[in-house]
Amino acid sequence: MGMKLLVLHGPNLNLLGEREDVAGGRLPDLDAALRAKAKDLGLELTIVQSNHEGVLIDTLHAERKNVEGILINPAGYFTSYALKEALEAVGLPAIEVLLKPPARESVVAEACAMQVLGLHGFDPYIQALETFASGIFHPAIPGPVKTLGRRKKGASAEDDEGSRPKPKLVGRVHPLKKADPPEPMPLAAPARSLRRTVEAGGPLKTLGRAAKAGATPASDLLTRALVRQKIADRLAGRLSEAELATWARAKYQQVQRGEPAESGHRELLEDSLQSLTLSHLPATRLTDTQLVDLMTRLEEG
């Protein structure tokens, strides 16, 4: 089998569809649809429903070494800090699914790589499974930002073999999952210079092209320079890992809602923000070397 996932249904979902008396819309129907889709995608599911917060948390703890990802519908527990902390402690990529928009911001979503809100029936669950199956959470070797769905210039058909379209994100974002941190690789000369600059707390070094004196990006425009500066602030200790991840998540959401991004570099910027969104969690943490490498790619992109 392929990727192993834990599916958690929160409180009252055992009564899903009963009040509406809609044929095919109850929890057993949902679970059957999930298992059928998982079989098509080569996924293996463990499905648990509970009306008790402690049971959901205990299940996360018990299954953390048996699965590679989590699909969770916290339902009425979407404001649970205990569930949020459990997801963070487990450190696995998670997607939150809600069959209708919550009354206020979901706390649980803060520990998830992605949030999918209900539009049509069980579609959010199916989209979440397709996202896991896309391979975006599989271990990736540090290198150029991975681009899914479009071939880079000069790439051959063989380079694209087995690639899948990039899943559409709703509300939250997901980065590429990193494997256990590799042995640090020697940095290229420009990156070493950049690293020394940001560690010294100095101005961000511009590689290859001179920046215009006094030029600053518009506050509402996402640019490569802005993302590089945020990473530089993290490396220099002016931002914590969590603060950088929170900023990246918020900025990505803004761009997905249609706010402007630097012309010609939107995809690179989106992929970079995806990587930064969960860069502070154990399973997806970016090392300083990887952050510097990302800064260099943002300059060269």
Short mmCIF file of all heavy atoms in Angstrom, two decimals, residues 42-111:
data_model
loop_
_atom_site.label_atom_id
_atom_site.label_comp_id
_atom_site.label_asym_id
_atom_site.label_seq_id
_atom_site.Cartn_x
_atom_site.Cartn_y
_atom_site.Cartn_z
N GLY A 42 -4.28 4.50 -3.98
CA GLY A 42 -3.20 3.74 -3.37
C GLY A 42 -2.89 4.17 -1.95
O GLY A 42 -1.74 4.05 -1.51
N LEU A 43 -3.89 4.66 -1.23
CA LEU A 43 -3.71 5.08 0.15
C LEU A 43 -4.31 4.05 1.10
O LEU A 43 -5.21 3.30 0.72
CB LEU A 43 -4.39 6.44 0.40
CG LEU A 43 -3.96 7.61 -0.48
CD1 LEU A 43 -4.84 8.81 -0.23
CD2 LEU A 43 -2.49 7.96 -0.24
N GLU A 44 -3.83 4.03 2.33
CA GLU A 44 -4.35 3.13 3.35
C GLU A 44 -4.88 3.98 4.51
O GLU A 44 -4.18 4.84 5.05
CB GLU A 44 -3.25 2.19 3.85
CG GLU A 44 -3.73 1.18 4.88
CD GLU A 44 -2.64 0.21 5.29
OE1 GLU A 44 -1.62 0.13 4.57
OE2 GLU A 44 -2.80 -0.44 6.34
N LEU A 45 -6.14 3.76 4.89
CA LEU A 45 -6.80 4.59 5.88
C LEU A 45 -7.08 3.86 7.19
O LEU A 45 -7.47 2.69 7.19
CB LEU A 45 -8.13 5.14 5.34
CG LEU A 45 -8.12 5.91 4.03
CD1 LEU A 45 -9.52 6.43 3.73
CD2 LEU A 45 -7.12 7.06 4.07
N THR A 46 -6.92 4.58 8.29
CA THR A 46 -7.44 4.20 9.60
C THR A 46 -8.44 5.27 9.99
O THR A 46 -8.07 6.45 10.09
CB THR A 46 -6.33 4.11 10.66
OG1 THR A 46 -5.39 3.11 10.28
CG2 THR A 46 -6.90 3.78 12.03
N ILE A 47 -9.71 4.92 10.16
CA ILE A 47 -10.77 5.89 10.38
C ILE A 47 -11.34 5.75 11.79
O ILE A 47 -11.70 4.65 12.20
CB ILE A 47 -11.90 5.73 9.33
CG1 ILE A 47 -11.34 5.87 7.91
CG2 ILE A 47 -13.00 6.76 9.57
CD1 ILE A 47 -12.37 5.65 6.82
N VAL A 48 -11.42 6.86 12.50
CA VAL A 48 -11.94 6.88 13.86
C VAL A 48 -12.89 8.06 14.02
O VAL A 48 -12.58 9.17 13.59
CB VAL A 48 -10.80 6.99 14.91
CG1 VAL A 48 -11.37 7.12 16.31
CG2 VAL A 48 -9.87 5.79 14.82
N GLN A 49 -14.07 7.80 14.62
CA GLN A 49 -14.99 8.88 14.97
C GLN A 49 -15.22 8.85 16.47
O GLN A 49 -15.37 7.79 17.08
CB GLN A 49 -16.33 8.71 14.26
CG GLN A 49 -17.30 9.89 14.43
CD GLN A 49 -18.09 9.90 15.73
OE1 GLN A 49 -18.43 8.84 16.26
NE2 GLN A 49 -18.35 11.09 16.27
N SER A 50 -15.24 10.04 17.08
CA SER A 50 -15.52 10.11 18.51
C SER A 50 -16.17 11.44 18.86
O SER A 50 -15.86 12.47 18.25
CB SER A 50 -14.25 9.94 19.34
OG SER A 50 -14.55 10.05 20.73
N ASN A 51 -17.05 11.40 19.85
CA ASN A 51 -17.65 12.62 20.38
C ASN A 51 -16.86 13.17 21.55
O ASN A 51 -17.29 14.15 22.17
CB ASN A 51 -19.09 12.33 20.83
CG ASN A 51 -19.98 11.94 19.67
OD1 ASN A 51 -19.85 12.46 18.56
ND2 ASN A 51 -20.89 10.99 19.90
N HIS A 52 -15.71 12.57 21.85
CA HIS A 52 -14.93 12.95 23.03
C HIS A 52 -13.55 13.45 22.60
O HIS A 52 -12.80 12.77 21.90
CB HIS A 52 -14.79 11.76 23.98
CG HIS A 52 -16.11 11.19 24.41
ND1 HIS A 52 -16.90 11.78 25.36
CD2 HIS A 52 -16.78 10.09 23.97
CE1 HIS A 52 -18.01 11.07 25.52
NE2 HIS A 52 -17.96 10.04 24.68
N GLU A 53 -13.22 14.64 23.04
CA GLU A 53 -11.94 15.27 22.69
C GLU A 53 -10.76 14.40 23.11
O GLU A 53 -9.79 14.23 22.35
CB GLU A 53 -11.86 16.64 23.36
CG GLU A 53 -10.62 17.44 23.02
CD GLU A 53 -10.62 18.78 23.73
OE1 GLU A 53 -11.04 18.83 24.91
OE2 GLU A 53 -10.19 19.78 23.13
N GLY A 54 -10.83 13.83 24.31
CA GLY A 54 -9.73 13.01 24.81
C GLY A 54 -9.49 11.77 23.96
O GLY A 54 -8.34 11.36 23.78
N VAL A 55 -10.56 11.20 23.41
CA VAL A 55 -10.40 10.02 22.55
C VAL A 55 -9.68 10.41 21.26
O VAL A 55 -8.81 9.67 20.77
CB VAL A 55 -11.77 9.38 22.24
CG1 VAL A 55 -11.62 8.26 21.21
CG2 VAL A 55 -12.40 8.84 23.52
N LEU A 56 -10.03 11.54 20.71
CA LEU A 56 -9.36 12.01 19.49
C LEU A 56 -7.87 12.24 19.75
O LEU A 56 -7.02 11.85 18.93
CB LEU A 56 -10.01 13.30 18.98
CG LEU A 56 -11.48 13.19 18.56
CD1 LEU A 56 -12.04 14.58 18.24
CD2 LEU A 56 -11.64 12.26 17.36
N ILE A 57 -7.56 12.84 20.89
CA ILE A 57 -6.16 13.09 21.24
C ILE A 57 -5.42 11.78 21.49
O ILE A 57 -4.29 11.59 21.01
CB ILE A 57 -6.08 14.02 22.46
CG1 ILE A 57 -6.60 15.42 22.10
CG2 ILE A 57 -4.65 14.12 22.99
CD1 ILE A 57 -6.75 16.34 23.28
N ASP A 58 -6.05 10.88 22.23
CA ASP A 58 -5.42 9.58 22.49
C ASP A 58 -5.17 8.82 21.20
O ASP A 58 -4.15 8.13 21.06
CB ASP A 58 -6.30 8.75 23.43
CG ASP A 58 -6.28 9.26 24.86
OD1 ASP A 58 -5.37 10.04 25.20
OD2 ASP A 58 -7.18 8.88 25.64
N THR A 59 -6.09 8.94 20.26
CA THR A 59 -5.90 8.26 18.96
C THR A 59 -4.72 8.85 18.21
O THR A 59 -3.93 8.11 17.59
CB THR A 59 -7.18 8.37 18.12
OG1 THR A 59 -8.28 7.79 18.83
CG2 THR A 59 -7.01 7.65 16.79
N LEU A 60 -4.58 10.17 18.24
CA LEU A 60 -3.42 10.80 17.61
C LEU A 60 -2.12 10.27 18.21
O LEU A 60 -1.17 9.94 17.49
CB LEU A 60 -3.48 12.32 17.79
CG LEU A 60 -4.41 13.09 16.87
CD1 LEU A 60 -4.56 14.53 17.33
CD2 LEU A 60 -3.89 13.06 15.43
N HIS A 61 -2.09 10.18 19.54
CA HIS A 61 -0.89 9.68 20.21
C HIS A 61 -0.62 8.23 19.84
O HIS A 61 0.52 7.85 19.55
CB HIS A 61 -1.07 9.80 21.73
CG HIS A 61 -1.14 11.20 22.23
ND1 HIS A 61 -1.27 11.51 23.57
CD2 HIS A 61 -1.08 12.39 21.58
CE1 HIS A 61 -1.30 12.83 23.72
NE2 HIS A 61 -1.20 13.38 22.52
N ALA A 62 -1.67 7.41 19.86
CA ALA A 62 -1.49 5.97 19.63
C ALA A 62 -1.08 5.65 18.20
O ALA A 62 -0.34 4.69 17.96
CB ALA A 62 -2.78 5.23 20.00
N GLU A 63 -1.57 6.44 17.24
CA GLU A 63 -1.34 6.12 15.83
C GLU A 63 -0.18 6.89 15.21
O GLU A 63 0.13 6.70 14.04
CB GLU A 63 -2.61 6.42 15.02
CG GLU A 63 -3.81 5.56 15.39
CD GLU A 63 -3.61 4.09 15.02
OE1 GLU A 63 -2.81 3.81 14.10
OE2 GLU A 63 -4.25 3.24 15.66
N ARG A 64 0.49 7.73 15.98
CA ARG A 64 1.49 8.64 15.40
C ARG A 64 2.63 7.92 14.70
O ARG A 64 3.21 8.46 13.75
CB ARG A 64 2.04 9.57 16.48
CG ARG A 64 2.92 8.91 17.53
CD ARG A 64 3.28 9.89 18.65
NE ARG A 64 4.25 9.35 19.59
CZ ARG A 64 3.95 8.52 20.57
NH1 ARG A 64 2.70 8.13 20.74
NH2 ARG A 64 4.89 8.08 21.39
N LYS A 65 2.97 6.70 15.13
CA LYS A 65 4.06 5.97 14.51
C LYS A 65 3.58 4.99 13.45
O LYS A 65 4.39 4.32 12.80
CB LYS A 65 4.87 5.23 15.58
CG LYS A 65 5.57 6.16 16.56
CD LYS A 65 6.41 5.39 17.57
CE LYS A 65 7.13 6.33 18.53
NZ LYS A 65 7.94 5.61 19.54
N ASN A 66 2.26 4.91 13.28
CA ASN A 66 1.69 3.96 12.33
C ASN A 66 1.23 4.61 11.04
O ASN A 66 0.91 3.92 10.07
CB ASN A 66 0.50 3.23 12.96
CG ASN A 66 0.87 2.48 14.22
OD1 ASN A 66 1.96 1.94 14.33
ND2 ASN A 66 -0.04 2.46 15.19
N VAL A 67 1.17 5.96 11.03
CA VAL A 67 0.66 6.67 9.86
C VAL A 67 1.65 7.74 9.43
O VAL A 67 2.57 8.09 10.17
CB VAL A 67 -0.72 7.30 10.14
CG1 VAL A 67 -1.75 6.23 10.48
CG2 VAL A 67 -0.64 8.33 11.28
N GLU A 68 1.42 8.26 8.23
CA GLU A 68 2.31 9.29 7.67
C GLU A 68 1.61 10.62 7.47
O GLU A 68 2.25 11.60 7.07
CB GLU A 68 2.85 8.80 6.33
CG GLU A 68 3.63 7.50 6.43
CD GLU A 68 3.78 6.83 5.08
OE1 GLU A 68 2.89 6.04 4.69
OE2 GLU A 68 4.79 7.11 4.40
N GLY A 69 0.32 10.67 7.73
CA GLY A 69 -0.42 11.91 7.58
C GLY A 69 -1.76 11.81 8.29
O GLY A 69 -2.22 10.71 8.63
N ILE A 70 -2.38 12.97 8.52
CA ILE A 70 -3.63 13.03 9.29
C ILE A 70 -4.65 13.88 8.54
O ILE A 70 -4.34 14.99 8.11
CB ILE A 70 -3.39 13.63 10.68
CG1 ILE A 70 -2.41 12.76 11.47
CG2 ILE A 70 -4.70 13.78 11.46
CD1 ILE A 70 -1.79 13.46 12.66
N LEU A 71 -5.85 13.35 8.41
CA LEU A 71 -6.98 14.09 7.87
C LEU A 71 -7.97 14.23 9.03
O LEU A 71 -8.47 13.23 9.54
CB LEU A 71 -7.60 13.32 6.70
CG LEU A 71 -8.59 14.06 5.78
CD1 LEU A 71 -8.81 13.25 4.50
CD2 LEU A 71 -9.92 14.32 6.46
N ILE A 72 -8.26 15.44 9.46
CA ILE A 72 -9.07 15.64 10.65
C ILE A 72 -10.21 16.61 10.40
O ILE A 72 -10.03 17.67 9.81
CB ILE A 72 -8.21 16.14 11.84
CG1 ILE A 72 -9.09 16.33 13.09
CG2 ILE A 72 -7.46 17.41 11.49
CD1 ILE A 72 -8.28 16.59 14.36
N ASN A 73 -11.41 16.19 10.79
CA ASN A 73 -12.55 17.09 10.85
C ASN A 73 -12.90 17.25 12.32
O ASN A 73 -13.57 16.40 12.91
CB ASN A 73 -13.75 16.52 10.09
CG ASN A 73 -14.94 17.48 10.08
OD1 ASN A 73 -14.97 18.45 10.84
ND2 ASN A 73 -15.92 17.21 9.24
N PRO A 74 -12.44 18.32 12.96
CA PRO A 74 -12.66 18.48 14.39
C PRO A 74 -14.10 18.84 14.72
O PRO A 74 -14.49 18.82 15.89
CB PRO A 74 -11.71 19.61 14.77
CG PRO A 74 -11.59 20.42 13.53
CD PRO A 74 -11.67 19.45 12.39
N ALA A 75 -14.89 19.19 13.69
CA ALA A 75 -16.29 19.57 13.90
C ALA A 75 -16.37 20.63 15.00
O ALA A 75 -15.69 21.66 14.92
CB ALA A 75 -17.14 18.35 14.21
N GLY A 76 -17.15 20.37 16.05
CA GLY A 76 -17.32 21.36 17.11
C GLY A 76 -16.08 21.64 17.93
O GLY A 76 -16.05 22.61 18.70
N TYR A 77 -15.04 20.83 17.76
CA TYR A 77 -13.80 21.05 18.49
C TYR A 77 -12.80 21.89 17.69
O TYR A 77 -11.61 21.86 17.96
CB TYR A 77 -13.15 19.72 18.83
CG TYR A 77 -13.85 18.94 19.93
CD1 TYR A 77 -14.04 17.57 19.83
CD2 TYR A 77 -14.30 19.58 21.08
CE1 TYR A 77 -14.68 16.85 20.84
CE2 TYR A 77 -14.94 18.87 22.09
CZ TYR A 77 -15.13 17.51 21.97
OH TYR A 77 -15.75 16.81 22.97
N PHE A 78 -13.29 22.66 16.71
CA PHE A 78 -12.36 23.42 15.87
C PHE A 78 -11.64 24.51 16.66
O PHE A 78 -10.64 25.04 16.21
CB PHE A 78 -13.08 24.02 14.66
CG PHE A 78 -14.02 25.15 14.98
CD1 PHE A 78 -13.58 26.47 14.93
CD2 PHE A 78 -15.34 24.91 15.32
CE1 PHE A 78 -14.45 27.52 15.22
CE2 PHE A 78 -16.21 25.95 15.62
CZ PHE A 78 -15.77 27.25 15.57
N THR A 79 -12.14 24.84 17.87
CA THR A 79 -11.47 25.84 18.70
C THR A 79 -10.61 25.19 19.80
O THR A 79 -10.17 25.87 20.72
CB THR A 79 -12.50 26.76 19.38
OG1 THR A 79 -13.39 25.97 20.18
CG2 THR A 79 -13.30 27.54 18.35
N SER A 80 -10.35 23.90 19.67
CA SER A 80 -9.65 23.16 20.73
C SER A 80 -8.14 23.38 20.67
O SER A 80 -7.47 22.96 19.72
CB SER A 80 -9.94 21.66 20.62
OG SER A 80 -9.09 20.93 21.46
N TYR A 81 -7.60 24.03 21.69
CA TYR A 81 -6.15 24.17 21.78
C TYR A 81 -5.49 22.84 22.12
O TYR A 81 -4.33 22.60 21.75
CB TYR A 81 -5.80 25.23 22.83
CG TYR A 81 -5.99 26.64 22.35
CD1 TYR A 81 -7.19 27.31 22.58
CD2 TYR A 81 -5.00 27.29 21.61
CE1 TYR A 81 -7.38 28.61 22.12
CE2 TYR A 81 -5.19 28.58 21.15
CZ TYR A 81 -6.38 29.24 21.41
OH TYR A 81 -6.56 30.52 20.92
N ALA A 82 -6.22 21.97 22.81
CA ALA A 82 -5.66 20.67 23.13
C ALA A 82 -5.43 19.84 21.86
O ALA A 82 -4.39 19.18 21.71
CB ALA A 82 -6.59 19.92 24.09
N LEU A 83 -6.38 19.88 20.94
CA LEU A 83 -6.21 19.17 19.66
C LEU A 83 -5.08 19.80 18.86
O LEU A 83 -4.28 19.10 18.22
CB LEU A 83 -7.50 19.22 18.86
CG LEU A 83 -8.50 18.06 19.04
CD1 LEU A 83 -9.74 18.31 18.20
CD2 LEU A 83 -7.87 16.73 18.68
N LYS A 84 -5.02 21.13 18.84
CA LYS A 84 -3.94 21.83 18.13
C LYS A 84 -2.58 21.39 18.68
O LYS A 84 -1.66 21.07 17.91
CB LYS A 84 -4.12 23.34 18.28
CG LYS A 84 -2.94 24.18 17.79
CD LYS A 84 -3.21 25.65 18.03
CE LYS A 84 -2.03 26.52 17.62
NZ LYS A 84 -0.91 26.43 18.56
N GLU A 85 -2.44 21.37 20.00
CA GLU A 85 -1.17 20.98 20.61
C GLU A 85 -0.84 19.52 20.31
O GLU A 85 0.33 19.18 20.12
CB GLU A 85 -1.22 21.23 22.11
CG GLU A 85 -1.24 22.71 22.48
CD GLU A 85 -1.44 22.94 23.97
OE1 GLU A 85 -1.60 21.93 24.70
OE2 GLU A 85 -1.45 24.10 24.40
N ALA A 86 -1.85 18.66 20.28
CA ALA A 86 -1.61 17.26 19.98
C ALA A 86 -1.09 17.09 18.55
O ALA A 86 -0.15 16.32 18.31
CB ALA A 86 -2.89 16.45 20.17
N LEU A 87 -1.68 17.82 17.61
CA LEU A 87 -1.21 17.75 16.23
C LEU A 87 0.23 18.26 16.11
O LEU A 87 1.05 17.68 15.39
CB LEU A 87 -2.13 18.56 15.32
CG LEU A 87 -3.50 17.96 15.04
CD1 LEU A 87 -4.43 19.00 14.42
CD2 LEU A 87 -3.39 16.75 14.12
N GLU A 88 0.54 19.32 16.82
CA GLU A 88 1.90 19.86 16.78
C GLU A 88 2.88 18.89 17.42
O GLU A 88 4.01 18.73 16.94
CB GLU A 88 1.94 21.21 17.49
CG GLU A 88 1.22 22.32 16.74
CD GLU A 88 1.17 23.63 17.50
OE1 GLU A 88 1.33 23.60 18.75
OE2 GLU A 88 0.96 24.68 16.86
N ALA A 89 2.46 18.24 18.51
CA ALA A 89 3.34 17.29 19.18
C ALA A 89 3.61 16.07 18.32
O ALA A 89 4.73 15.55 18.28
CB ALA A 89 2.73 16.86 20.52
N VAL A 90 2.59 15.62 17.60
CA VAL A 90 2.76 14.46 16.72
C VAL A 90 3.67 14.81 15.55
O VAL A 90 4.48 14.00 15.10
CB VAL A 90 1.37 13.98 16.24
CG1 VAL A 90 1.51 13.00 15.08
CG2 VAL A 90 0.61 13.32 17.38
N GLY A 91 3.54 16.03 15.03
CA GLY A 91 4.47 16.52 14.00
C GLY A 91 4.30 15.94 12.62
O GLY A 91 5.20 16.03 11.80
N LEU A 92 3.12 15.36 12.33
CA LEU A 92 2.86 14.81 11.00
C LEU A 92 2.09 15.81 10.15
O LEU A 92 1.35 16.63 10.69
CB LEU A 92 2.05 13.52 11.11
CG LEU A 92 2.75 12.33 11.77
CD1 LEU A 92 1.76 11.19 12.00
CD2 LEU A 92 3.92 11.85 10.92
N PRO A 93 2.24 15.77 8.83
CA PRO A 93 1.44 16.68 7.99
C PRO A 93 -0.03 16.37 8.17
O PRO A 93 -0.46 15.22 8.15
CB PRO A 93 1.92 16.36 6.57
CG PRO A 93 2.54 15.01 6.64
CD PRO A 93 3.13 14.90 8.01
N ALA A 94 -0.82 17.43 8.36
CA ALA A 94 -2.25 17.26 8.62
C ALA A 94 -3.05 18.21 7.75
O ALA A 94 -2.60 19.31 7.41
CB ALA A 94 -2.56 17.52 10.09
N ILE A 95 -4.24 17.76 7.38
CA ILE A 95 -5.19 18.59 6.64
C ILE A 95 -6.48 18.63 7.44
O ILE A 95 -7.01 17.60 7.83
CB ILE A 95 -5.46 18.03 5.23
CG1 ILE A 95 -4.19 18.06 4.39
CG2 ILE A 95 -6.57 18.82 4.54
CD1 ILE A 95 -4.35 17.47 3.00
N GLU A 96 -6.97 19.85 7.70
CA GLU A 96 -8.25 20.00 8.37
C GLU A 96 -9.36 20.11 7.34
O GLU A 96 -9.25 20.87 6.37
CB GLU A 96 -8.27 21.25 9.25
CG GLU A 96 -9.60 21.42 9.99
CD GLU A 96 -9.73 22.75 10.69
OE1 GLU A 96 -9.44 23.79 10.06
OE2 GLU A 96 -10.12 22.77 11.87
N VAL A 97 -10.42 19.33 7.54
CA VAL A 97 -11.59 19.36 6.66
C VAL A 97 -12.79 19.81 7.49
O VAL A 97 -13.01 19.30 8.59
CB VAL A 97 -11.86 17.97 6.05
CG1 VAL A 97 -13.22 17.94 5.38
CG2 VAL A 97 -10.78 17.60 5.06
N LEU A 98 -13.53 20.75 6.98
CA LEU A 98 -14.77 21.19 7.61
C LEU A 98 -15.87 21.19 6.55
O LEU A 98 -15.67 21.72 5.45
CB LEU A 98 -14.62 22.59 8.22
CG LEU A 98 -13.65 22.70 9.40
CD1 LEU A 98 -13.43 24.17 9.76
CD2 LEU A 98 -14.15 21.93 10.60
N LEU A 99 -17.00 20.58 6.87
CA LEU A 99 -18.07 20.46 5.90
C LEU A 99 -18.87 21.76 5.74
O LEU A 99 -19.70 21.87 4.84
CB LEU A 99 -19.01 19.31 6.28
CG LEU A 99 -18.35 17.92 6.18
CD1 LEU A 99 -19.31 16.84 6.64
CD2 LEU A 99 -17.87 17.65 4.76
N LYS A 100 -18.62 22.72 6.61
CA LYS A 100 -19.18 24.06 6.45
C LYS A 100 -18.23 25.04 7.11
O LYS A 100 -17.49 24.68 8.04
CB LYS A 100 -20.57 24.16 7.06
CG LYS A 100 -20.64 23.88 8.54
CD LYS A 100 -22.07 23.98 9.04
CE LYS A 100 -22.15 23.68 10.54
NZ LYS A 100 -23.54 23.77 11.04
N PRO A 101 -18.19 26.29 6.64
CA PRO A 101 -17.27 27.27 7.23
C PRO A 101 -17.55 27.44 8.72
O PRO A 101 -18.71 27.50 9.15
CB PRO A 101 -17.59 28.55 6.46
CG PRO A 101 -18.17 28.08 5.16
CD PRO A 101 -18.94 26.84 5.49
N PRO A 102 -16.48 27.52 9.54
CA PRO A 102 -16.68 27.68 10.98
C PRO A 102 -17.18 29.08 11.32
O PRO A 102 -17.03 30.02 10.54
CB PRO A 102 -15.27 27.44 11.55
CG PRO A 102 -14.35 27.86 10.44
CD PRO A 102 -15.05 27.48 9.16
N ALA A 103 -17.77 29.19 12.51
CA ALA A 103 -18.31 30.48 12.95
C ALA A 103 -17.20 31.50 13.16
O ALA A 103 -17.41 32.70 13.01
CB ALA A 103 -19.11 30.29 14.23
N ARG A 104 -16.00 31.03 13.49
CA ARG A 104 -14.85 31.91 13.64
C ARG A 104 -13.60 31.11 13.26
O ARG A 104 -13.68 29.95 12.93
CB ARG A 104 -14.75 32.46 15.06
CG ARG A 104 -14.74 31.42 16.17
CD ARG A 104 -14.79 32.11 17.53
NE ARG A 104 -14.74 31.18 18.64
CZ ARG A 104 -15.80 30.55 19.14
NH1 ARG A 104 -16.99 30.75 18.61
NH2 ARG A 104 -15.67 29.74 20.17
N GLU A 105 -12.46 31.76 13.33
CA GLU A 105 -11.21 31.14 12.89
C GLU A 105 -10.94 29.83 13.63
O GLU A 105 -11.10 29.74 14.84
CB GLU A 105 -10.05 32.11 13.14
CG GLU A 105 -8.73 31.68 12.50
CD GLU A 105 -8.71 31.89 11.01
OE1 GLU A 105 -9.60 32.58 10.48
OE2 GLU A 105 -7.79 31.37 10.37
N SER A 106 -10.54 28.82 12.87
CA SER A 106 -10.25 27.51 13.46
C SER A 106 -8.89 27.52 14.14
O SER A 106 -7.89 27.86 13.52
CB SER A 106 -10.30 26.42 12.40
OG SER A 106 -9.81 25.19 12.92
N VAL A 107 -8.86 27.12 15.41
CA VAL A 107 -7.61 26.98 16.14
C VAL A 107 -6.85 25.76 15.65
O VAL A 107 -5.62 25.79 15.48
CB VAL A 107 -7.88 26.88 17.66
CG1 VAL A 107 -6.62 26.48 18.42
CG2 VAL A 107 -8.43 28.20 18.18
N VAL A 108 -7.57 24.68 15.39
CA VAL A 108 -6.94 23.44 14.93
C VAL A 108 -6.19 23.66 13.62
O VAL A 108 -5.12 23.08 13.39
CB VAL A 108 -8.00 22.33 14.78
CG1 VAL A 108 -7.42 21.09 14.10
CG2 VAL A 108 -8.57 21.96 16.14
N ALA A 109 -6.73 24.52 12.77
CA ALA A 109 -6.10 24.77 11.47
C ALA A 109 -4.70 25.33 11.60
O ALA A 109 -3.89 25.19 10.69
CB ALA A 109 -6.97 25.72 10.64
N GLU A 110 -4.40 25.97 12.74
CA GLU A 110 -3.07 26.55 12.92
C GLU A 110 -1.98 25.48 12.98
O GLU A 110 -0.81 25.78 12.75
CB GLU A 110 -3.06 27.38 14.21
CG GLU A 110 -3.97 28.60 14.16
CD GLU A 110 -4.02 29.35 15.48
OE1 GLU A 110 -3.17 29.06 16.36
OE2 GLU A 110 -4.88 30.23 15.64
N ALA A 111 -2.37 24.24 13.28
CA ALA A 111 -1.40 23.15 13.33
C ALA A 111 -1.46 22.29 12.08
O ALA A 111 -0.80 21.26 12.01
CB ALA A 111 -1.64 22.29 14.57
#
